[in-house]
Amino acid sequence: MSYPYQITSLAQYEAEYKRSVNDPAAFWAGIAGHFSWRNQWNEVLNWNFTEPKIEWFKGGKLNITENCLDRYLESHGDQPALIWEPNDPEEHHRVLTYRNLYDKVCQFAHVLRNNGVKKGDRVCIYMGMIPELPIAILACARLGAIHSVVFGGFSAQSIADRLVDANAEFIVTCDGAYRGQKDIPLKSVIDDALIACRFVKRVIVCTRTRTAVSMIKGRDVWWEDEIKKVETLGLKDFPAEEMDAEDPLFILYTSGSTGKPKGVVHTIAGYMLFTNYTFVNVFQYKPGEIHFCTADIGWITGHSYILYGPLSAGGTSLMFEGIPTWPDAGRFWDIVDKFKVNILYTAPTAIRSLMGFGEAPLKDKDLGSLRILGTVGEPINEEAWHWYDEHIGKRRCPIVDTWWQTETSGVLISNLAGITPAKPSWATLPLPGIQPVLVDEKGEEITEASAEHGGLLSGNLCLKFPWPGIIRTTYGDHERCRNAYFATYPGLYFTGDGALKDQNGFYRITGRVDDVLNVSGHRIGTAEVENAINMHAGVIESAVVGYPHDIKGQGIYAYIIHDVHHGDPEHTRKDILATVTRIIGAIAKPDKIQFVKGLPKTRSGKIMRRILRKIAEGETSNLGDTSTLLDPGVVEEIKEGKL
Ligand code: PRX
């Protein structure tokens, strides 16, 4: 097996890029031809960015699991599809061949159907990183249900918000999850979430940690019992539901600059094509190789590059249950050595954190199988890039710096490993089909180099043409999708990121230009954190900004006006952290809290975050124009509090 659409030279990249821009419909239709369809589409592309309305391959009929599983059964049913490495290195790993995975997905699709799940229903999946997680996801897709995976670190309140938003009546979870030395009581968190969600009809609970759980009669069932029922009935193959190319495949919630997280919706064919195409080209995957993406499947990176990208390409994907630093900081390197991993894809945060342990954890680890390295989720600083290159890739593995977002399905800007040039801390060139533009505040395309940025173009990063994996809507609220992505600059998709562009057309992503933080590669909205902090009875008002953090990339800095009658500030501080953990999850806990008497506001009442950001960064002298502030004295007080 090979991939006819795999780009193998720089000249070919240039030619393919041109072709994709000159005739996008013909370009993507050519790629779609390599997949398994029940019925040909009516029209390749129908779009406008005003509503927005984006349809790729509408009328085409398929099921994504037939593309990920069935079509590989005959040619390489015995080849590993998933390799699972548990949290505890003493526990045995598991290997699921394409045949095994197919059987298990069919079995669980029967379980879902027996429990009342129908095509179009939303199923919330809240599980740890065990093979049953991809099995549950693929079973939903086989049956035509829409999966909504919620990362295992989110709180009961966050789950409840998502259940309500998606009106999800079904949940698949585990008793608990292992993460390093911790056991996370997933089922108990679900129980808390469901106090306010009486509409949930069924919770299917898979056993992992054997933590005691309470089962609610008529609502909760055990995964293992349900499988036994299917076995007793002799149910095996589950015919895949015929789906339209534009039927939703999943919802994945992500943070924006305002209010609650948005349910990003991706549709079947476009998502499949784009994750497959980018997987094959960015990582230059070769059949038989082992691809190790260290992300959690609760995030888009796991959806696209642990599951759908590799499986739709008939590849072998390694999934890992634990954390990089337990039992020690050599965990990744042990896994690479044990399974002879060829491609390693991880986040700059993980690299920076492991770098901090020096070279000792690398001793006696054979990393010779590695061929390609990748990073994702946040800008990578040059120091971390060079460490990765020197100590992990031994200067012989191309590093791909892949820029993309939950909303884009897959990689939009990145070098293609070993094919197009790399440049440390630059994502470099757009993939075929991707048409970026840099715009100024007014939405005018930037053509003049900026002196401030050393003669580079600098602006807000937008895309001017759709690709198959672009977001279709935000679940239940299309207007929100329009406002968040398509209204700032009419006619363009706005990414929320700022970028630089050099003379070669290479892009460097400089970070978010909106009120979204990127903490350890995870997106968190400042408004969301503020809302959670403000729930605390001792808080009058708060303002949250990001600041540079050596390991996490960005840390969370909260300025809080505290009710002095509420008691001991130290106690309040701890309590606020607990509140944020309860409302959102531990990932949103502020790293620093500063109690202040007031916040810098304009006369119209808007908080001037620019000033707070500078103070959080340690800049106290050059704060820019503060004359429009209602009370400039507040700034002095905050500065003094900081010193
Ligand atoms: O700011 C960009 C940053 O992560 C944001 C997207 O976050 P999320 O939707 O959670 O998806 C993360 C995994 C794709 C982007 O808007 N980002 C992602 N990759 C990079 C990056 N920033 C710089 N360089 C990257 N390679």
Side-chain angles (χ1 to χ4, degrees), residues 254 299-301 375-380 401-407 413 427 495-497 509-512 518 521-523:
T254 191
W299 308 111
I300 191 70
T301 307
T375 72
V376 58
E378 45 177 325
I380 181 161
D401 177 353
T402 65
W403 172 81
W404 56 294
Q405 311 179 296
T406 304
E407 294 85 347
I413 303 184
T495 64
D497 281 322
I509 313 302
T510 48
R512 303 288 305 194
N518 191 328
H522 300 145
R523 255 162 84 166

mmCIF file of all heavy atoms in Angstrom, residues 254 299-301 375-380 401-407 413 427 495-497 509-512 518 521-523, ligand 1:
data_model
loop_
_atom_site.group_PDB
_atom_site.id
_atom_site.type_symbol
_atom_site.label_atom_id
_atom_site.label_comp_id
_atom_site.label_asym_id
_atom_site.label_seq_id
_atom_site.Cartn_x
_atom_site.Cartn_y
_atom_site.Cartn_z
ATOM 1 N N THR A 254 -14.574 23.978 22.754
ATOM 2 C CA THR A 254 -13.316 24.702 22.910
ATOM 3 C C THR A 254 -13.602 26.122 23.376
ATOM 4 O O THR A 254 -14.695 26.638 23.169
ATOM 5 C CB THR A 254 -12.493 24.693 21.604
ATOM 6 O OG1 THR A 254 -11.187 25.192 21.885
ATOM 7 C CG2 THR A 254 -13.123 25.537 20.518
ATOM 8 N N TRP A 299 -8.789 16.020 23.324
ATOM 9 C CA TRP A 299 -8.507 17.249 22.572
ATOM 10 C C TRP A 299 -8.523 16.925 21.086
ATOM 11 O O TRP A 299 -8.416 15.764 20.692
ATOM 12 C CB TRP A 299 -7.133 17.817 22.938
ATOM 13 C CG TRP A 299 -6.922 18.001 24.408
ATOM 14 C CD1 TRP A 299 -6.068 17.297 25.198
ATOM 15 C CD2 TRP A 299 -7.559 18.962 25.283
ATOM 16 N NE1 TRP A 299 -6.124 17.755 26.497
ATOM 17 C CE2 TRP A 299 -7.029 18.768 26.581
ATOM 18 C CE3 TRP A 299 -8.517 19.961 25.082
ATOM 19 C CZ2 TRP A 299 -7.438 19.542 27.669
ATOM 20 C CZ3 TRP A 299 -8.922 20.724 26.176
ATOM 21 C CH2 TRP A 299 -8.379 20.512 27.438
ATOM 22 N N ILE A 300 -8.554 17.967 20.267
ATOM 23 C CA ILE A 300 -8.622 17.745 18.810
ATOM 24 C C ILE A 300 -7.390 16.990 18.302
ATOM 25 O O ILE A 300 -7.488 16.174 17.383
ATOM 26 C CB ILE A 300 -8.813 19.085 18.036
ATOM 27 C CG1 ILE A 300 -9.157 18.845 16.565
ATOM 28 C CG2 ILE A 300 -7.574 19.958 18.141
ATOM 29 C CD1 ILE A 300 -10.509 18.284 16.285
ATOM 30 N N THR A 301 -6.226 17.231 18.899
ATOM 31 C CA THR A 301 -5.012 16.558 18.408
ATOM 32 C C THR A 301 -5.180 15.042 18.488
ATOM 33 O O THR A 301 -4.790 14.315 17.575
ATOM 34 C CB THR A 301 -3.783 17.016 19.220
ATOM 35 O OG1 THR A 301 -3.748 18.441 19.189
ATOM 36 C CG2 THR A 301 -2.503 16.465 18.642
ATOM 37 N N THR A 375 5.676 18.926 16.628
ATOM 38 C CA THR A 375 5.162 19.686 17.774
ATOM 39 C C THR A 375 3.846 20.345 17.390
ATOM 40 O O THR A 375 3.587 20.611 16.220
ATOM 41 C CB THR A 375 6.128 20.791 18.263
ATOM 42 O OG1 THR A 375 6.134 21.845 17.308
ATOM 43 C CG2 THR A 375 7.519 20.273 18.468
ATOM 44 N N VAL A 376 3.043 20.623 18.401
ATOM 45 C CA VAL A 376 1.712 21.188 18.177
ATOM 46 C C VAL A 376 1.193 21.876 19.430
ATOM 47 O O VAL A 376 1.560 21.509 20.542
ATOM 48 C CB VAL A 376 0.703 20.081 17.777
ATOM 49 C CG1 VAL A 376 0.596 18.992 18.820
ATOM 50 C CG2 VAL A 376 -0.694 20.666 17.511
ATOM 51 N N GLY A 377 0.342 22.858 19.214
ATOM 52 C CA GLY A 377 -0.443 23.403 20.317
ATOM 53 C C GLY A 377 -0.069 24.798 20.752
ATOM 54 O O GLY A 377 -0.883 25.513 21.310
ATOM 55 N N GLU A 378 1.173 25.193 20.517
ATOM 56 C CA GLU A 378 1.627 26.514 20.966
ATOM 57 C C GLU A 378 2.940 26.804 20.244
ATOM 58 O O GLU A 378 3.574 25.887 19.703
ATOM 59 C CB GLU A 378 1.851 26.505 22.480
ATOM 60 C CG GLU A 378 2.580 25.276 22.887
ATOM 61 C CD GLU A 378 2.932 25.186 24.359
ATOM 62 O OE1 GLU A 378 3.232 26.208 24.970
ATOM 63 O OE2 GLU A 378 2.945 24.051 24.856
ATOM 64 N N PRO A 379 3.355 28.062 20.273
ATOM 65 C CA PRO A 379 4.632 28.373 19.624
ATOM 66 C C PRO A 379 5.763 27.633 20.343
ATOM 67 O O PRO A 379 5.728 27.497 21.561
ATOM 68 C CB PRO A 379 4.766 29.890 19.839
ATOM 69 C CG PRO A 379 3.388 30.389 20.118
ATOM 70 C CD PRO A 379 2.674 29.257 20.795
ATOM 71 N N ILE A 380 6.708 27.116 19.587
ATOM 72 C CA ILE A 380 7.861 26.470 20.219
ATOM 73 C C ILE A 380 9.031 27.457 20.203
ATOM 74 O O ILE A 380 9.358 28.023 19.163
ATOM 75 C CB ILE A 380 8.218 25.114 19.561
ATOM 76 C CG1 ILE A 380 9.416 24.494 20.284
ATOM 77 C CG2 ILE A 380 8.453 25.204 18.068
ATOM 78 C CD1 ILE A 380 9.593 22.997 20.058
ATOM 79 N N ASP A 401 6.702 21.655 12.752
ATOM 80 C CA ASP A 401 6.025 22.557 13.697
ATOM 81 C C ASP A 401 4.657 22.808 13.081
ATOM 82 O O ASP A 401 4.521 23.541 12.106
ATOM 83 C CB ASP A 401 6.841 23.841 13.823
ATOM 84 C CG ASP A 401 6.181 24.874 14.727
ATOM 85 O OD1 ASP A 401 5.027 24.674 15.163
ATOM 86 O OD2 ASP A 401 6.830 25.912 14.979
ATOM 87 N N THR A 402 3.635 22.153 13.632
ATOM 88 C CA THR A 402 2.328 22.124 12.977
ATOM 89 C C THR A 402 1.378 23.129 13.631
ATOM 90 O O THR A 402 1.047 23.004 14.799
ATOM 91 C CB THR A 402 1.718 20.719 13.077
ATOM 92 O OG1 THR A 402 1.445 20.414 14.446
ATOM 93 C CG2 THR A 402 2.657 19.670 12.520
ATOM 94 N N TRP A 403 0.952 24.111 12.856
ATOM 95 C CA TRP A 403 -0.018 25.084 13.387
ATOM 96 C C TRP A 403 -1.423 24.738 12.898
ATOM 97 O O TRP A 403 -1.645 24.553 11.709
ATOM 98 C CB TRP A 403 0.325 26.510 12.947
ATOM 99 C CG TRP A 403 -0.792 27.444 13.332
ATOM 100 C CD1 TRP A 403 -1.000 27.994 14.562
ATOM 101 C CD2 TRP A 403 -1.888 27.859 12.513
ATOM 102 N NE1 TRP A 403 -2.165 28.729 14.559
ATOM 103 C CE2 TRP A 403 -2.728 28.664 13.325
ATOM 104 C CE3 TRP A 403 -2.247 27.625 11.189
ATOM 105 C CZ2 TRP A 403 -3.896 29.250 12.832
ATOM 106 C CZ3 TRP A 403 -3.413 28.194 10.700
ATOM 107 C CH2 TRP A 403 -4.226 29.007 11.527
ATOM 108 N N TRP A 404 -2.337 24.663 13.837
ATOM 109 C CA TRP A 404 -3.748 24.448 13.493
ATOM 110 C C TRP A 404 -4.603 24.662 14.726
ATOM 111 O O TRP A 404 -4.095 25.116 15.756
ATOM 112 C CB TRP A 404 -3.959 23.063 12.871
ATOM 113 C CG TRP A 404 -3.508 21.870 13.666
ATOM 114 C CD1 TRP A 404 -2.223 21.552 13.991
ATOM 115 C CD2 TRP A 404 -4.331 20.828 14.208
ATOM 116 N NE1 TRP A 404 -2.206 20.371 14.707
ATOM 117 C CE2 TRP A 404 -3.480 19.901 14.849
ATOM 118 C CE3 TRP A 404 -5.696 20.569 14.200
ATOM 119 C CZ2 TRP A 404 -3.964 18.759 15.491
ATOM 120 C CZ3 TRP A 404 -6.177 19.434 14.820
ATOM 121 C CH2 TRP A 404 -5.303 18.535 15.461
ATOM 122 N N GLN A 405 -5.887 24.359 14.640
ATOM 123 C CA GLN A 405 -6.834 24.663 15.716
ATOM 124 C C GLN A 405 -7.941 23.610 15.766
ATOM 125 O O GLN A 405 -8.167 22.916 14.771
ATOM 126 C CB GLN A 405 -7.526 26.007 15.452
ATOM 127 C CG GLN A 405 -6.609 27.133 15.104
ATOM 128 C CD GLN A 405 -7.353 28.420 14.831
ATOM 129 O OE1 GLN A 405 -8.133 28.492 13.881
ATOM 130 N NE2 GLN A 405 -7.127 29.428 15.642
ATOM 131 N N THR A 406 -8.668 23.580 16.875
ATOM 132 C CA THR A 406 -9.834 22.696 16.974
ATOM 133 C C THR A 406 -10.770 22.924 15.777
ATOM 134 O O THR A 406 -11.340 21.982 15.234
ATOM 135 C CB THR A 406 -10.599 23.000 18.284
ATOM 136 O OG1 THR A 406 -9.684 22.868 19.366
ATOM 137 C CG2 THR A 406 -11.772 22.061 18.481
ATOM 138 N N GLU A 407 -10.894 24.163 15.373
ATOM 139 C CA GLU A 407 -11.844 24.520 14.314
ATOM 140 C C GLU A 407 -11.382 24.093 12.931
ATOM 141 O O GLU A 407 -12.167 24.122 11.986
ATOM 142 C CB GLU A 407 -12.048 26.051 14.289
ATOM 143 C CG GLU A 407 -12.722 26.623 15.514
ATOM 144 C CD GLU A 407 -11.741 26.919 16.658
ATOM 145 O OE1 GLU A 407 -10.586 26.447 16.589
ATOM 146 O OE2 GLU A 407 -12.123 27.613 17.613
ATOM 147 N N ILE A 413 -0.755 24.986 8.621
ATOM 148 C CA ILE A 413 0.560 25.510 8.254
ATOM 149 C C ILE A 413 1.620 24.661 8.946
ATOM 150 O O ILE A 413 1.595 24.494 10.171
ATOM 151 C CB ILE A 413 0.714 26.994 8.671
ATOM 152 C CG1 ILE A 413 -0.400 27.841 8.049
ATOM 153 C CG2 ILE A 413 2.090 27.518 8.280
ATOM 154 C CD1 ILE A 413 -0.280 29.339 8.318
ATOM 155 N N ALA A 427 6.277 27.894 11.737
ATOM 156 C CA ALA A 427 5.430 26.822 11.211
ATOM 157 C C ALA A 427 5.657 26.676 9.699
ATOM 158 O O ALA A 427 5.302 25.660 9.109
ATOM 159 C CB ALA A 427 3.966 27.100 11.515
ATOM 160 N N THR A 495 -8.636 33.500 12.553
ATOM 161 C CA THR A 495 -8.117 32.441 13.427
ATOM 162 C C THR A 495 -7.993 32.856 14.885
ATOM 163 O O THR A 495 -7.901 31.997 15.757
ATOM 164 C CB THR A 495 -6.706 32.028 12.970
ATOM 165 O OG1 THR A 495 -5.835 33.166 13.138
ATOM 166 C CG2 THR A 495 -6.677 31.591 11.519
ATOM 167 N N GLY A 496 -7.917 34.180 15.136
ATOM 168 C CA GLY A 496 -7.640 34.631 16.506
ATOM 169 C C GLY A 496 -6.149 34.691 16.800
ATOM 170 O O GLY A 496 -5.739 35.098 17.884
ATOM 171 N N ASP A 497 -5.309 34.296 15.839
ATOM 172 C CA ASP A 497 -3.856 34.317 16.032
ATOM 173 C C ASP A 497 -3.219 35.471 15.275
ATOM 174 O O ASP A 497 -3.701 35.884 14.213
ATOM 175 C CB ASP A 497 -3.221 33.013 15.514
ATOM 176 C CG ASP A 497 -3.387 31.863 16.491
ATOM 177 O OD1 ASP A 497 -3.285 32.101 17.704
ATOM 178 O OD2 ASP A 497 -3.619 30.728 16.035
ATOM 179 N N ILE A 509 3.837 31.841 13.915
ATOM 180 C CA ILE A 509 2.651 32.180 14.705
ATOM 181 C C ILE A 509 3.141 32.826 15.997
ATOM 182 O O ILE A 509 3.962 32.249 16.712
ATOM 183 C CB ILE A 509 1.821 30.914 15.035
ATOM 184 C CG1 ILE A 509 1.609 30.041 13.790
ATOM 185 C CG2 ILE A 509 0.494 31.284 15.705
ATOM 186 C CD1 ILE A 509 0.930 30.698 12.624
ATOM 187 N N THR A 510 2.619 34.027 16.277
ATOM 188 C CA THR A 510 3.131 34.729 17.453
ATOM 189 C C THR A 510 2.219 34.557 18.666
ATOM 190 O O THR A 510 2.596 34.920 19.771
ATOM 191 C CB THR A 510 3.316 36.231 17.138
ATOM 192 O OG1 THR A 510 2.123 36.699 16.500
ATOM 193 C CG2 THR A 510 4.496 36.445 16.221
ATOM 194 N N GLY A 511 1.023 34.025 18.483
ATOM 195 C CA GLY A 511 0.131 33.790 19.632
ATOM 196 C C GLY A 511 -1.216 34.447 19.432
ATOM 197 O O GLY A 511 -1.452 35.118 18.428
ATOM 198 N N ARG A 512 -2.108 34.245 20.385
ATOM 199 C CA ARG A 512 -3.476 34.739 20.257
ATOM 200 C C ARG A 512 -3.501 36.259 20.351
ATOM 201 O O ARG A 512 -2.754 36.859 21.128
ATOM 202 C CB ARG A 512 -4.350 34.171 21.382
ATOM 203 C CG ARG A 512 -4.391 32.667 21.468
ATOM 204 C CD ARG A 512 -5.164 31.994 20.381
ATOM 205 N NE ARG A 512 -6.528 32.442 20.243
ATOM 206 C CZ ARG A 512 -7.447 31.786 19.520
ATOM 207 N NH1 ARG A 512 -7.142 30.647 18.911
ATOM 208 N NH2 ARG A 512 -8.653 32.258 19.410
ATOM 209 N N ASN A 518 -3.276 30.335 26.187
ATOM 210 C CA ASN A 518 -2.817 29.020 25.763
ATOM 211 C C ASN A 518 -1.887 28.505 26.857
ATOM 212 O O ASN A 518 -0.719 28.849 26.918
ATOM 213 C CB ASN A 518 -2.091 29.139 24.423
ATOM 214 C CG ASN A 518 -1.836 27.787 23.815
ATOM 215 O OD1 ASN A 518 -1.630 26.802 24.528
ATOM 216 N ND2 ASN A 518 -1.840 27.716 22.498
ATOM 217 N N GLY A 521 -0.465 24.428 26.049
ATOM 218 C CA GLY A 521 -1.082 23.977 24.796
ATOM 219 C C GLY A 521 -2.590 23.822 24.882
ATOM 220 O O GLY A 521 -3.215 23.366 23.942
ATOM 221 N N HIS A 522 -3.188 24.198 26.020
ATOM 222 C CA HIS A 522 -4.647 24.115 26.154
ATOM 223 C C HIS A 522 -5.255 25.498 26.114
ATOM 224 O O HIS A 522 -4.777 26.419 26.751
ATOM 225 C CB HIS A 522 -5.042 23.434 27.471
ATOM 226 C CG HIS A 522 -4.519 22.045 27.592
ATOM 227 N ND1 HIS A 522 -4.116 21.506 28.772
ATOM 228 C CD2 HIS A 522 -4.323 21.103 26.653
ATOM 229 C CE1 HIS A 522 -3.684 20.278 28.564
ATOM 230 N NE2 HIS A 522 -3.798 20.004 27.286
ATOM 231 N N ARG A 523 -6.342 25.584 25.378
ATOM 232 C CA ARG A 523 -7.004 26.879 25.223
ATOM 233 C C ARG A 523 -7.920 27.167 26.380
ATOM 234 O O ARG A 523 -8.770 26.353 26.711
ATOM 235 C CB ARG A 523 -7.841 26.815 23.964
ATOM 236 C CG ARG A 523 -7.236 27.563 22.857
ATOM 237 C CD ARG A 523 -7.864 27.107 21.604
ATOM 238 N NE ARG A 523 -9.112 27.808 21.374
ATOM 239 C CZ ARG A 523 -9.709 27.774 20.199
ATOM 240 N NH1 ARG A 523 -9.211 27.084 19.216
ATOM 241 N NH2 ARG A 523 -10.825 28.431 20.023
HETATM 242 O O1 PRX B 1 -2.838 29.927 19.135
HETATM 243 C C1 PRX B 1 -2.723 28.797 18.306
HETATM 244 C C2 PRX B 1 -2.105 27.664 19.099
HETATM 245 O O2 PRX B 1 -3.191 26.900 19.595
HETATM 246 C C3 PRX B 1 -4.435 27.462 19.155
HETATM 247 C C4 PRX B 1 -5.415 26.365 18.867
HETATM 248 O O3 PRX B 1 -5.704 25.670 20.047
HETATM 249 P P1 PRX B 1 -6.601 24.382 20.017
HETATM 250 O O4 PRX B 1 -7.839 24.658 19.262
HETATM 251 O O5 PRX B 1 -6.736 23.914 21.409
HETATM 252 O O6 PRX B 1 -5.790 23.337 19.171
HETATM 253 C C5 PRX B 1 -4.547 22.918 19.620
HETATM 254 C C6 PRX B 1 -4.058 21.793 18.755
HETATM 255 C C7 PRX B 1 -4.096 22.054 17.312
HETATM 256 C C8 PRX B 1 -4.077 28.251 17.940
HETATM 257 O O7 PRX B 1 -5.034 29.250 17.664
HETATM 258 N N1 PRX B 1 -1.248 26.804 18.278
HETATM 259 C C9 PRX B 1 -1.525 25.561 17.835
HETATM 260 N N2 PRX B 1 -0.461 25.053 17.181
HETATM 261 C C10 PRX B 1 0.503 25.995 17.173
HETATM 262 C C11 PRX B 1 -0.004 27.117 17.870
HETATM 263 N N3 PRX B 1 0.722 28.236 18.021
HETATM 264 C C12 PRX B 1 1.956 28.261 17.477
HETATM 265 N N4 PRX B 1 2.510 27.233 16.811
HETATM 266 C C13 PRX B 1 1.821 26.082 16.636
HETATM 267 N N5 PRX B 1 2.402 25.068 15.993
#
